[in-house]
Amino acid sequence: MTIPNHKDVVQLLIAGILNASIDNWRNTNLPFLQQAINQLACLLALQGKDIPNSPNDWLDLFEKPIDKWWPGEICELDLENSLQMIYDGQPEDWLIEYFDSRNIDLSRLGHTLTSFRSEIDQSEINTLRQWCRDNNQSFVYSAYREFLIRNPWTTITELGNFMVQFNIKVPILIQSFFEEPRSEHYHGGKLWQCPNCGGILRWQFDRPYCVRHTVCSRITSNYNSRLPIDQDPYLRILKYGSHLRTCVPGIPEIKLFDICRELPGVGSVQLWPGYDAYDLRINFTNGRSWAVDVKDVSDQGTLRHTIDKSLGGLLLTRSSDDLGWERAFYVIPDYRVEWNPGYQEIARSDQFNKDVKLITSSQIVEMIKTNFGQSINHDISVGG
């Protein structure tokens, strides 16, 4: 008997859980998930561990810390011991982070991820960014991205009005990021808005879920203050991938952008300068500039991995005429530290560079206020 490879099994399992959640768990017999469960059952049996009997039993298992049930050493998977794969019936954040950062390829196991990736990738925004770069249209790129973050649902008229502002033909229309609401978005004949990201909630067994449930549900106490939206044949919502990968992660960036523009000593703030070389360039009235790259990552190990990949590019911008900076920061939303008090210390345990600091969003706001010796009164918790 051939013993399944542990890393292959965990990658199949991650792809399977993500794929099933996109389908709103209507089908738990999807190829990735079923093959992963079959191979995981083999590994559990070899270790003398109990094997779940039903699909619901498997999902219950995946809601437990992985070190409680994984049939092997967690360190071999480059994962934290306490991670869960599912939170309240939806994938944990780190699954998409792992899938994205490790460039999972299941072709050697007989699977293609082409159709699956099309649901969660960022090909449209990446194609737009490359076109804008080639045609020197930084305003177009920033305008598109900001619109997608601030408008997770909109109308056909508003989409048309957005396109009118450009005096150049853009090959990718803003409409391509949106779609009509599906049946799973309606509850009681209405659409319901997530109180955190503003997106339209999906419903399963009379319970609401946002595309990034692990963040939005925690910040809003399970969507208690959700608002109903009447049916409108002209209403459009962000596609799943754009909502998950562009809108929700961009909220801490936009909130920090809005706050920093009002702070003393700040002359201007640029969003995604250099076509996303980093997230914010804060230009002060004394001529200095700071670079800020927001990292909303659930798993500390993945955060370190992400910073390691991006640090070289950030340092290259230091002496650039358009992107240069005197100080640079990786900024994490406050809620990451609130949910896990050791997060910031663990993440900084690997000193990646003495010139780039890791701080929270509220800390950088306080740093700016302290540097310019003036305080203003408003909520500086920009995590949610």
Side-chain angles (χ1 to χ4, degrees):
M1 179 183 70
T2 302
I3 299 176
N5 179 280
H6 283 226
K7 286 192 175 181
D8 287 346
V9 174
V10 80
Q11 291 187 359
L12 277 168
L13 195 54
I14 288 171
I17 290 173
L18 290 173
N19 203 9
S21 70
I22 290 172
D23 196 44
N24 213 25
W25 299 101
R26 284 185 287 261
N27 181 10
T28 55
N29 293 317
L30 295 165
F32 312 135
L33 187 57
Q34 192 57 57
Q35 185 176 352
I37 285 175
N38 291 342
Q39 294 190 6
L40 180 56
C42 176
L43 293 175
L44 289 169
L46 289 172
Q47 292 290 324
K49 295 179 178 288
D50 293 336
I51 300 174
N53 294 316
S54 68
N56 285 338
D57 290 339
W58 280 106
L59 295 181
D60 288 342
L61 181 71
F62 300 149
E63 293 216 13
K64 298 176 181 178
I66 193 169
D67 63 328
K68 302 298 183 184
W69 54 267
W70 185 259
E73 296 295 330
I74 302 300
C75 60
E76 296 177 358
L77 305 177
D78 191 27
L79 298 175
E80 300 289 334
N81 287 347
S82 60
L83 291 176
Q84 302 166 224
M85 285 192 156
I86 294 177
Y87 166 78
D88 194 25
Q90 297 297 307
E92 274 280 13
D93 278 359
W94 72 265
L95 269 68
I96 191 71
E97 295 159 4
Y98 185 100
F99 183 89
D100 202 31
S101 63
R102 267 69 170 187
N103 297 315
I104 291 179
D105 179 7
L106 302 180
S107 59
R108 59 192 169 78
L109 303 178
H111 295 294
T112 173
L113 296 177
T114 303
S115 59
F116 173 41
R117 284 189 186 278
S118 68
E119 290 281 353
I120 65 169
D121 73 6
Q122 303 182 80
S123 58
E124 288 179 322
I125 196 71
N126 290 337
T127 300
L128 174 72
R129 176 170 54 192
Q130 188 58 52
W131 179 86
C132 290
R133 189 192 304 273
D134 294 341
N135 292 274
N136 195 27
Q137 294 292 327
S138 59
F139 169 73
V140 173
Y141 174 71
S142 296
Y144 262 68
R145 191 163 173 179
E146 184 174 359
F147 186 91
L148 296 177
I149 297 170
R150 294 189 187 273
N151 299 277
W153 64 270
T154 184
T155 64
I156 293 176
T157 300
E158 290 172 343
L159 291 172
N161 290 338
F162 174 82
M163 294 302 302
V164 169
Q165 67 180 301
F166 304 118
N167 59 4
I168 185 173
K169 183 178 180 180
V170 183
I172 299 178
L173 300 179
I174 191 70
Q175 287 88 336
S176 66
F177 293 90
F178 291 83
E179 64 181 2
E180 293 184 41
R182 304 177 188 178
S183 59
E184 66 205 47
H185 294 108
Y186 288 97
H187 183 72
K190 294 180 181 293
L191 298 169
W192 296 82
Q193 185 175 13
C194 172
N196 179 51
C197 70
I200 302 302
L201 296 170
R202 298 189 301 167
W203 292 80
Q204 182 184 16
F205 306 120
D206 290 328
R207 293 190 61 190
Y209 296 93
C210 198
V211 296
R212 205 173 179 198
H213 182 66
T214 55
V215 172
C216 292
S217 68
R218 290 173 179 174
I219 289 175
T220 65
S221 299
N222 207 29
Y223 315 106
N224 279 341
S225 57
R226 60 183 180 270
L227 298 174
I229 300 171
D230 292 328
Q231 291 192 43
D232 181 345
Y234 302 106
L235 187 143
R236 297 292 182 266
I237 67 174
L238 274 179
K239 293 179 179 177
Y240 184 93
S242 295
H243 192 178
L244 176 69
R245 307 297 299 286
T246 301
C247 176
V248 179
I251 290 172
E253 301 166 7
I254 288 293
K255 288 190 174 183
L256 190 58
F257 168 76
D258 288 340
I259 289 176
C260 286
R261 287 190 299 174
E262 301 178 11
L263 293 177
V266 175
S268 65
V269 183
Q270 298 168 258
L271 276 170
W272 313 295
Y275 307 97
D276 206 16
Y278 47 85
D279 293 324
L280 302 178
R281 187 173 191 242
I282 304 173
N283 303 305
F284 297 99
T285 54
N286 65 1
R288 295 181 177 274
S289 297
W290 289 2
V292 173
D293 206 12
V294 180
K295 298 296 184 188
D296 185 10
V297 181
S298 62
D299 170 41
Q300 299 96 310
T302 302
L303 175 64
R304 289 194 293 267
H305 183 75
T306 302
I307 289 176
D308 287 341
K309 287 177 62 176
S310 65
L311 181 59
L314 178 60
L315 292 174
L316 285 176
T317 64
R318 184 170 192 170
S319 57
S320 166
D321 291 338
D322 299 327
L323 305 172
W325 42 267
E326 282 72 38
R327 304 187 70 178
F329 304 89
Y330 284 113
V331 174
I332 53 178
D334 291 83
Y335 55 74
R336 292 298 178 193
V337 176
E338 292 168 4
W339 296 341
N340 180 359
Y343 182 99
Q344 194 172 3
E345 286 69 28
I346 296 172
R348 106 170 7 123
S349 63
D350 291 342
Q351 293 295 326
F352 40 88
N353 188 276
K354 62 182 179 62
D355 297 319
V356 184
K357 304 303 179 185
L358 176 68
I359 60 176
T360 66
S361 50
S362 60
Q363 285 173 337
I364 193 169
V365 170
E366 287 295 344
M367 283 182 65
I368 294 173
K369 291 159 63 175
T370 300
N371 269 265
F372 289 91
Q374 184 178 347
S375 179
I376 58 177
N377 294 317
H378 56 52
D379 180 17
I380 62 169
S381 179
V382 300

